Amino acid sequence: MNTEHYKSLVAKLPLLKAEIGKVIIGQEEAIDEVLITLLAGGHCLLEGVPGLAKTLLVSTLAKTLSMSFKRIQFTPDLMPGDIVGTEVLEEDHDTGKKFFQFNRGPIFANVVLADEINRTPPKTQAALLEAMQEYKVTYAGTDHPLPKPFLIIATQNPIEQAGTYPLPEAQLDRFLLYIRLGYPSEQEELAVLRATTGTDRPVLNTILTDNDVLDLQTLTRQVFISDELLGYVNKIVRSSRPADSPVPFVKQWCDWGAGPRAGQALILCAKARAVLNGRFSVIPEDIQTLAYPVLRHRIALNFRADSEGITTDKVIGEIVKQGDVKK
């Protein structure tokens, strides 16, 4: 792949953001983080109160990409087979012989929206684990590879926790980013009201194909990061662990910190942010910005922190200050 091809693909990223912006008003940080997840080849968790366009953001992204899209509504009675698929008994009409045929579930798509993932029991949540990590589904001893690129975006509601099933830490760790959507500003909310209560419906154009996304994911891994910044990432991750942390805030408020997967995620996401901004090398701002969505689901606060209103983002802010590097 030549340099001109890379440049032409990177030039399409602002167009992709503009297409999404036709439907999603505001939420620019969340849009950037979803696109970073796509470029880094991972999965993300979207959290926000009802009505903040979590589902709409994912479906809009899928429409701007020439890739297959499936939505799974998670409910308490959802079973693993409803996600990965199941075998059914078929009959060969020529020979009369019967055989089992695997019918693929909705997980077999390029972009999968796992809507309200915390409303289904752990057994069903676990059905996503192998798919997220191994990019395949194993059924009756047979491996069924998932399409590439493959992106799971899960949503959850931080309120109405009655009847929900919090995600296990092992599954949370498999999400590259934990993205929080906040309320829109006054002007953004006014624009939403104006745009969504009339008859006009924006027409979305397809910007990238599946092969374009795969090429951009390859480019992302080739982005340069200096040894100094690698050390900075390593220091950030290690500082999140209470036993070894030089940060008093961490020792005081945290039960446990992030594992090595967090460092890998932070480096890949920093590289993806560089590509999204038209750069081919990582800068400190990439790391400092993405430390929050990378670490917030990989740090456990203790009871004292919860009781005094200390948030993971507050702890991460203290960690990022340690070993700060020049911009």
Side-chain angles (χ1 to χ4, degrees), residues 87 102 137-144:
E87 283 188 334
F102 179 68
V137 166
T138 302
Y139 195 97
T142 302
D143 289 344
H144 302 273

Side-chain angles (χ1 to χ4, degrees), residues 1-7:
M1 194 186 314
N2 58 44
T3 304
E4 291 304 316
H5 179 62
Y6 276 138
K7 289 181 178 179

Side-chain angles (χ1 to χ4, degrees), residues 21-87:
K22 288 181 179 179
V23 176
I24 306 298
I25 298 170
Q27 304 292 5
E28 292 184 7
E29 183 177 329
I31 292 171
D32 281 352
E33 289 172 355
V34 169
L35 293 179
I36 284 167
T37 305
L38 177 68
L39 295 176
H43 315 285
C44 64
L45 183 64
L46 283 177
E47 182 182 87
V49 299
L52 294 184
K54 299 184 296 296
T55 302
L56 182 61
L57 170 57
V58 183
S59 61
T60 302
L61 171 67
K63 290 174 184 176
T64 61
L65 303 172
S66 181
M67 300 194 297
S68 56
F69 169 68
K70 294 289 184 181
R71 177 179 180 268
I72 307 171
Q73 179 63 53
F74 281 70
T75 56
D77 60 348
L78 193 73
M79 298 298 290
D82 298 326
I83 296 173
V84 301
T86 187
E87 283 188 334

Side-chain angles (χ1 to χ4, degrees), residues 46-326:
L46 283 177
E47 182 182 87
V49 299
L52 294 184
K54 299 184 296 296
T55 302
L56 182 61
L57 170 57
V58 183
S59 61
T60 302
L61 171 67
K63 290 174 184 176
T64 61
L65 303 172
S66 181
M67 300 194 297
S68 56
F69 169 68
K70 294 289 184 181
R71 177 179 180 268
I72 307 171
Q73 179 63 53
F74 281 70
T75 56
D77 60 348
L78 193 73
M79 298 298 290
D82 298 326
I83 296 173
V84 301
T86 187
E87 283 188 334
V88 295
L89 188 62
E90 300 279 0
E91 181 178 346
D92 189 319
H93 296 293
D94 295 330
T95 64
K97 291 184 178 180
K98 295 184 179 180
F99 60 95
F100 283 101
Q101 176 73 38
F102 179 68
N103 281 0
R104 297 184 169 192
I107 196 72
F108 287 88
N110 295 114
V111 180
V112 178
L113 170 59
D115 217 355
E116 293 191 293
I117 190 174
N118 58 335
R119 295 206 174 276
T120 200
K123 177 176 69 173
T124 305
Q125 292 173 358
L128 292 177
L129 282 174
E130 183 188 28
M132 291 172 65
Q133 187 69 21
E134 305 295 336
Y135 293 85
K136 67 178 181 179
V137 166
T138 302
Y139 195 97
T142 302
D143 289 344
H144 302 273
L146 293 164
K148 293 182 179 180
F150 178 63
L151 169 66
I152 290 179
I153 303 179
T155 71
Q156 67 177 13
N157 187 341
I159 59 176
E160 296 182 280
Q161 292 303 304
T164 62
Y165 305 84
L167 291 170
E169 285 77 8
Q171 187 163 343
L172 275 174
D173 195 36
R174 282 168 170 79
F175 286 102
L176 198 68
L177 296 182
Y178 190 137
I179 303 169
R180 284 184 176 149
L181 278 74
Y183 288 110
S185 67
E186 182 177 356
Q187 291 303 313
E188 288 170 348
E189 192 161 0
L190 184 61
V192 169
L193 296 177
R194 184 179 294 113
T196 57
T197 55
T199 57
D200 291 340
R201 293 291 180 269
V203 177
L204 294 174
N205 299 308
T206 300
I207 305 299
L208 296 173
T209 67
D210 52 354
N211 287 329
D212 289 339
V213 173
L214 288 173
D215 288 345
L216 283 166
Q217 289 177 349
T218 299
L219 171 63
T220 296
R221 288 184 170 268
Q222 295 173 354
V223 169
F224 174 77
I225 180 170
S226 68
D227 289 342
E228 182 185 12
L229 291 182
L230 280 172
Y232 182 42
V233 169
N234 196 36
K235 189 165 187 177
I236 285 174
V237 174
R238 293 183 65 83
S239 294
S240 72
R241 303 166 190 166
D244 307 314
S245 180
V247 184
F249 215 81
V250 172
K251 292 181 179 293
Q252 185 177 3
W253 303 114
C254 296
D255 271 343
W256 47 265
R261 188 182 278 130
Q264 297 168 334
L266 187 49
I267 290 168
L268 274 176
C269 290
K271 289 183 174 187
R273 187 177 186 272
V275 171
L276 192 61
N277 287 279
R279 290 182 277 103
F280 297 98
S281 63
V282 174
I283 61 175
E285 184 185 334
D286 297 326
I287 296 166
Q288 293 158 355
T289 300
L290 288 163
Y292 294 89
V294 166
L295 293 177
R296 64 170 55 116
H297 56 303
R298 293 181 166 101
I299 295 175
L301 301 181
N302 56 30
F303 175 78
R304 181 181 174 186
D306 288 337
S307 64
E308 298 193 19
I310 301 298
T311 64
T312 51
D313 280 14
K314 175 72 172 175
V315 174
I316 294 165
E318 295 295 322
I319 292 172
V320 169
K321 293 176 185 177
Q322 301 299 310
D324 203 356
V325 294
K326 294 180 181 179

